Amino acid sequence: MSFSLEAVCNCVKRLHPDLRHRVGSDTIKKYEKSLDSFTMYLHRQPDWTTFSSEDIDFLAMEFRTEMDLTKSQHIILVAALEFFLPYLKGKLVLCREALKGRSNSEPTKHTVPLTTELAMLFGAYMASKGKVKIGVAMILQQASGLRPSELLALYQEHVYVPPDCKQPLTLRLGAVVSTKVKREQFVLLSPAKHSLAYTLLRKLHAGTLTGARLFPFGYSLYNNSFKQCELHYGLHLGFTAHSPRAGFATSQVIAGTPVKEIQAAGRWLCEASFQTYVDVVAAAHIRAQVGSKELEDTVRWVQERLHLYFDLPLLHVGSVQSSLGGIQAGLQIQSSQRHDSGPTRSSVHSSEETVEDRQMAGTLGWRQHNRSGKGSRQTSTFAKGKGRGQLIRRRPQAKEMD
């Protein structure tokens, strides 16, 4: 089958809506950007007016060579051509074989795992900068093993909060955009194994309106947040938005959990993809870097004050500190029971939440309530240096909550 230059250039506009809905809006934007660059390259080829499948395949390889595309850019280009021009599906043989060769020649890049201690440290730092939801996202992703796309696609109604605080939270995945297995999946967050992530998610859920995203920011902002944390603490480890997921897998391997159980919990389709997230050697290297930067004391100091960063009662984070046992606990995620020494509060189901519960959290900060009904805006920040120092908190405001 032959394609005119006009047909290739206008394939984005002419794509039927039913075919467009095969992927998400973010993926379509990536495809359009990649295809725009390729069509501009075709316009610079005066000798070509019509193209066969083999011609497009050859020109795509020429474009890859001249523009020095990375492997991921080449993959996106091939996927974009096959998406917007469905008749090319399975006919870009040269590009496909070239990608196989690049996979064999280029070493597999393993995702650097984010340890439990660093997840808390980074989360507290982002909270001190007023970006509480980003800090919660880091801690939650490391505890649950969510993919970045799954994390950022969570809406308030996708989380079921049981009336009993001893029961796990249920996270519904793939409700808006299908997961890799083409059906909805779920993740259970246990209050015994992940006390801090459990408490933070319950509070975030209570302060988010129905129909709103739990984490209202994009992938780029979330990914850059890890670079900001590394820069602040003087680390050079190359964390990305996938690092918490890798930290989840690596910690389970170190703890001795069977591989099949970890793979099922993290929803990896095959063991080969799972192994790219497991790097025990990198975990040891991270511990060495933390030691060389003298961050052990900072980690302990922050762990003791996590309730101040996220405006949590002290009793909710006591089990977290005892389960970690300091920096020597490595990456292990240990189960521990919560011991509430104070009076217990009656649990409120998500359908019975009050107006005060809805006002607990702002866009990037929490609002704390006392028994008299007065609210106080509380912001914590690090002193200069390695993130350690005194917490600076604003004075409570006298304004009454409605």
Side-chain angles (χ1 to χ4, degrees), residues 121 150 217 247 264 319:
L121 190 65
E150 295 170 342
F217 44 82
S319 60

Side-chain angles (χ1 to χ4, degrees), residues 161-166 198 202 344-350 352:
V161 180
D164 186 0
C165 292
K166 295 181 181 180
Y198 182 92
R202 282 190 73 108
T344 57
R345 295 176 57 188
S346 58
S347 302
V348 180
H349 193 270
S350 58
E352 302 172 350

Side-chain angles (χ1 to χ4, degrees), residues 138-310:
M138 292 177 174
I139 296 173
L140 173 63
Q141 189 186 4
Q142 202 279 338
S144 60
L146 291 173
R147 299 179 179 91
S149 58
E150 295 170 342
L151 177 78
L152 300 179
L154 284 176
Y155 282 75
Q156 192 267 356
E157 57 270 25
H158 296 165
V159 179
Y160 171 71
V161 180
D164 186 0
C165 292
K166 295 181 181 180
Q167 296 179 358
L169 296 174
T170 303
L171 281 66
R172 179 184 172 194
L173 308 178
V176 178
V177 179
S178 179
T179 59
K180 288 190 175 182
V181 294
K182 306 304 179 184
R183 67 173 184 269
E184 288 191 23
Q185 296 177 297
F186 67 92
V187 170
L188 297 177
L189 196 64
S190 170
K193 293 183 178 180
H194 314 108
S195 175
L196 178 61
Y198 182 92
T199 306
L200 290 174
L201 185 56
R202 282 190 73 108
K203 185 171 185 180
L204 178 62
H205 181 271
T208 305
L209 297 175
T210 303
R213 291 171 57 194
L214 291 178
F215 304 104
F217 44 82
Y219 179 87
S220 298
L221 177 62
Y222 184 52
N223 192 59
N224 290 333
S225 299
F226 292 92
K227 297 179 175 62
Q228 295 176 18
C229 293
E230 284 196 76
L231 180 64
H232 177 76
Y233 291 110
L235 299 173
H236 305 281
L237 298 169
F239 290 122
T240 67
H242 289 268
S243 292
R245 179 168 165 82
F248 164 81
T250 305
S251 65
Q252 295 289 344
V253 170
I254 294 176
T257 306
V259 172
K260 292 297 182 182
E261 293 184 13
I262 306 172
Q263 186 176 331
R267 304 164 314 286
W268 278 279
L269 297 179
C270 62
E271 188 173 348
S273 61
F274 164 73
Q275 290 297 337
T276 62
Y277 282 85
V278 178
D279 199 337
V280 178
V281 176
H285 174 66
I286 292 171
R287 287 196 293 270
Q289 280 236 12
V290 170
S292 64
K293 298 296 181 180
E294 299 180 355
L295 289 177
E296 296 100 327
D297 293 338
T298 303
V299 171
R300 296 191 188 97
W301 190 90
V302 170
Q303 286 175 1
E304 293 172 358
R305 294 161 178 82
L306 278 172
H307 60 287
L308 299 178
Y309 287 96
F310 297 101

Side-chain angles (χ1 to χ4, degrees), residues 15 19-20 22-23 28 31 78-86:
L15 188 68
L19 297 176
R20 184 177 292 271
R22 289 177 295 169
V23 299
I28 289 180
Y31 287 171
V78 174
L81 287 170
E82 293 180 345
F83 179 79
F84 289 112
L85 298 170

Side-chain angles (χ1 to χ4, degrees), residues 346-399:
S346 58
S347 302
V348 180
H349 193 270
S350 58
S351 61
E352 302 172 350
E353 292 166 349
T354 63
V355 175
E356 283 190 350
D357 290 330
R358 290 299 184 189
Q359 295 175 342
M360 285 175 66
T363 303
L364 291 174
W366 304 114
R367 182 172 292 279
Q368 190 178 32
H369 298 273
N370 54 28
R371 294 182 180 178
S372 62
K374 295 181 179 181
S376 61
R377 196 71 174 177
Q378 192 171 7
T379 305
S380 56
T381 182
F382 282 111
K384 292 183 178 180
K386 295 299 181 183
R388 192 181 177 196
Q390 295 183 353
L391 286 169
I392 303 174
R393 294 186 288 170
R394 297 177 182 175
R395 295 180 180 178
Q397 298 177 358
K399 184 178 179 181

